[in-house]
Amino acid sequence: MKHIEKRFDAIVVGAGPAGATAAYQLAKMGYKTLLLERGRTPGSKSMFGGRVYIRPLKDIYEDFEKKAPIHRWVKKERISLVYDESATTIEYTSNKTTSFTTYLTQLSHWMANQAVEQGAILLTEIRVDRLYKEDGRYRGVVVEDEVVKSDVVIDAEGINRLLLEREGIVEKLSPDHVALGVKEVIKLEPDTINNLFGLDNNEGLSWILMGDVTDGIPGGAFIYTNRDSVSLGIVVLLGEAARRIDRHIYILVEELRNHPLLYKYFKDGRIMEYSTHLIPEDPSRLMPKKLYYDGLMIVGDAAGLLLNQGYTYRGVDFAAYSGYIAAKAYEKAHGNGGASEENLKIYQKMLEESFVMKMLRKFSSVSRLMKKERLFSTYPQLINLLASKLMHIEYDSYKLKEAFDEARKGRVGLIHIIKDLWEVSRKL
């Protein structure tokens, strides 16, 4: 740090999508911006499933579709309920798409480079020890006992919020408030991917699986096709997993890759990456009481801004847009006299009025719904048993009601099914 200036308009901690976008927008508006990243490269300490929703990013980055590291456009969607060696699948295919697959390391690196091109200074392999306070106001950061000052600090450190914990702004993470994602990236040739999954060049698949692929633990599995690889993984509620399984979580991913339904897709592949990551599962419990302080704003996963819709997660676009809003809020605060707490209050207001908070409020009850065990064990079993009775025909055939009654016998009562259907229809 000794070769860098010790005074900036803004310091951004963390070069993931939230931090890189905040730095990009700040530098674009002409503010002297320092972007600090603990990893060797931007995004090297980040992990996600593999899919990104594009619309918010198009509002931020010019010609995003032409310049960003997009692997495939998701044009095929599958949701499978898995029981034993069977699966009941819904598939949707369309030429229209609003999402793409990529590696988060590549996307974060690209976003950080956009910030650098606009004039931001990027430093990697830098660990921020603590936030720096002066006269009760956040005035910068401390790195190896050196103070680097700024008018505002934007905390984009991610779900492991060590800086915010030290300041007493958030409590330590509870296993019941987060999910654990575990992922393998499996190398396959593009033509092989196309043939296996029924895709054309540049077309992608998003495949969500629920049921005994997670041993009945609330959560699910995912498959995303990249340009020349496939991302395969699971997401489980960490608290439930800790209480209910006595083996290493990576075994679930190995079993998924070797599952009789999936083995044919991956048997000729080569594992090129393995990663794990904590995921904000319940934003209402993870989000700090407020996201602005005197000289400080909190963005991205550090702010708990990830959306669980039950059948998909949205994180990258939410994170990036919160960084964008934080930069615009600083512009307003700066024009009004500086980054005081009163002036930065506009960040919370702008975020509340954006699609980010509107969607988080809209789906706020999903995290509680996802704790309902029957959704991940009983119902996948019931639906596959129902399908087998209807489809496996020898001499006799079942009527639909006969098959349904036989499938649910001894497993779940009709009243429970009606109540659960009503709850799902209201919350999803």
Side-chain angles (χ1 to χ4, degrees):
M1 294 292 291
K2 61 185 178 181
H3 300 302
I4 199 71
E5 293 182 52
K6 297 301 193 312
R7 185 71 175 85
F8 293 85
D9 294 316
I11 295 175
V12 182
V13 181
T21 301
Y24 163 77
Q25 188 61 36
L26 286 162
K28 187 177 179 181
M29 294 186 298
Y31 296 108
K32 187 183 293 184
T33 304
L34 177 62
L35 177 59
L36 300 176
E37 167 57 37
R38 186 174 57 169
R40 183 171 296 176
T41 60
S44 63
K45 300 186 72 63
S46 302
M47 175 268 193
F48 82 141
R51 166 194 247 182
V52 180
Y53 291 90
I54 193 171
R55 188 64 185 88
L57 302 178
K58 289 169 64 175
D59 290 342
I60 301 169
Y61 295 97
E62 186 177 352
D63 294 330
F64 181 87
E65 308 100 306
K66 298 177 182 177
K67 298 177 180 178
I70 293 170
H71 282 212
R72 291 175 181 259
W73 292 99
V74 176
K75 294 188 177 182
K76 184 175 289 190
E77 310 261 4
R78 286 181 193 165
I79 298 178
S80 294
L81 300 179
V82 181
Y83 171 65
D84 196 20
E85 296 185 8
S86 62
T88 303
T89 300
I90 297 173
E91 182 168 310
Y92 171 75
T93 303
S94 174
N95 283 327
K96 295 181 179 179
T97 180
T98 59
S99 63
F100 62 91
T101 61
T102 189
Y103 298 147
L104 189 56
T105 48
Q106 293 180 357
L107 184 61
S108 295
H109 195 275
W110 180 85
M111 289 176 166
N113 281 342
Q114 302 309 297
V116 171
E117 288 180 10
Q118 294 296 330
I121 295 173
L122 168 66
L123 295 180
T124 59
E125 296 185 275
I126 298 293
R127 189 190 71 193
V128 175
D129 296 311
R130 60 185 173 88
L131 302 177
Y132 173 70
K133 259 184 171 179
E134 195 174 273
D135 299 326
R137 175 176 172 179
Y138 294 102
R139 295 278 189 176
V141 298
V142 178
V143 178
E144 297 177 353
D145 296 325
E146 290 190 57
V147 174
V148 186
K149 293 186 177 182
S150 63
D151 188 34
V152 71
V153 176
I154 296 179
D155 187 306
E157 61 182 317
I159 189 64
N160 294 309
R161 305 175 291 183
L162 301 180
L163 297 178
L164 298 181
E165 285 180 16
R166 291 187 187 115
E167 294 300 314
I169 293 173
V170 299
E171 297 179 353
K172 288 188 176 182
L173 288 175
S174 165
D176 289 318
H177 298 165
V178 294
L180 176 66
V182 186
K183 183 179 79 167
E184 293 178 349
V185 178
I186 300 167
K187 177 75 173 177
L188 290 168
E189 292 301 317
D191 287 344
T192 302
I193 293 172
N194 293 344
N195 292 332
L196 285 171
F197 295 100
L199 303 170
D200 289 332
N201 290 333
N202 300 320
E203 286 185 347
L205 166 72
S206 164
W207 191 353
I208 306 301
L209 305 99
M210 296 169 58
D212 60 9
V213 290
T214 57
D215 276 356
I217 299 169
F222 59 84
I223 295 171
Y224 296 113
T225 56
N226 306 308
R227 182 180 298 114
D228 55 1
S229 67
V230 177
S231 296
L232 168 78
I234 63 167
V235 176
V236 291
L237 298 186
L238 182 57
E240 289 295 318
R243 285 187 285 269
R244 293 170 53 181
I245 62 174
D246 56 1
R247 51 186 179 152
H248 199 288
I249 198 72
Y250 77 81
I251 295 175
L252 290 182
V253 183
E254 287 194 356
E255 290 177 347
L256 179 67
R257 175 170 27 88
N258 291 295
H259 194 283
L261 294 170
L262 301 177
Y263 177 72
K264 65 180 179 181
Y265 297 107
F266 306 114
K267 61 185 178 68
D268 296 324
R270 174 176 58 85
I271 299 174
M272 54 186 288
E273 180 184 315
Y274 174 85
S275 58
T276 64
H277 186 62
L278 294 178
I279 301 168
E281 177 62 28
D282 189 348
S284 64
R285 294 188 177 186
L286 277 173
M287 192 177 295
K289 292 180 180 178
K290 60 181 184 179
L291 302 179
Y292 64 93
Y293 292 83
D294 209 338
L296 174 69
M297 289 182 282
I298 307 167
V299 299
D301 279 6
L305 301 178
L306 182 140
L307 180 66
N308 180 0
Q309 293 183 217
Y311 53 89
T312 189
Y313 281 92
R314 290 180 63 182
V316 172
D317 60 326
F318 273 48
Y321 207 78
S322 69
Y324 170 75
I325 290 177
K328 302 294 280 187
Y330 176 68
E331 182 182 38
K332 292 179 181 293
H334 187 269
N336 202 29
S340 67
E341 184 170 353
E342 182 62 28
N343 287 342
L344 291 181
K345 188 186 295 184
I346 189 66
Y347 168 56
Q348 189 102 27
K349 182 176 185 296
M350 292 170 69
L351 200 59
E352 290 287 343
E353 293 173 349
S354 74
F355 77 92
V356 173
M357 291 305 297
K358 288 177 182 177
M359 290 298 99
L360 287 175
R361 287 192 294 268
K362 185 175 183 178
F363 289 91
S364 61
S365 57
V366 168
S367 61
R368 291 189 293 277
L369 179 65
M370 290 298 104
K371 293 180 173 66
K372 192 178 286 290
E373 183 179 343
R374 282 195 297 271
L375 295 178
F376 304 93
S377 56
T378 304
Y379 290 127
Q381 181 183 14
L382 186 153
I383 289 171
N384 280 283
L385 289 174
L386 171 62
S388 71
K389 292 182 183 303
L390 292 174
M391 303 301 174
H392 293 175
I393 297 172
E394 294 185 2
Y395 291 106
D396 297 331
S397 298
Y398 280 92
K399 284 188 173 182
L400 179 60
K401 184 179 182 305
E402 279 184 306
F404 177 70
D405 288 341
E406 190 72 22
R408 71 177 181 84
K409 187 184 297 182
R411 295 180 178 85
V412 60
L414 188 58
I415 297 300
H416 281 306
I417 293 174
I418 293 170
K419 285 182 177 179
D420 289 340
L421 283 172
W422 173 248
E423 188 176 5
V424 169
S425 68
R426 288 191 303 113
K427 292 182 177 179
L428 289 187

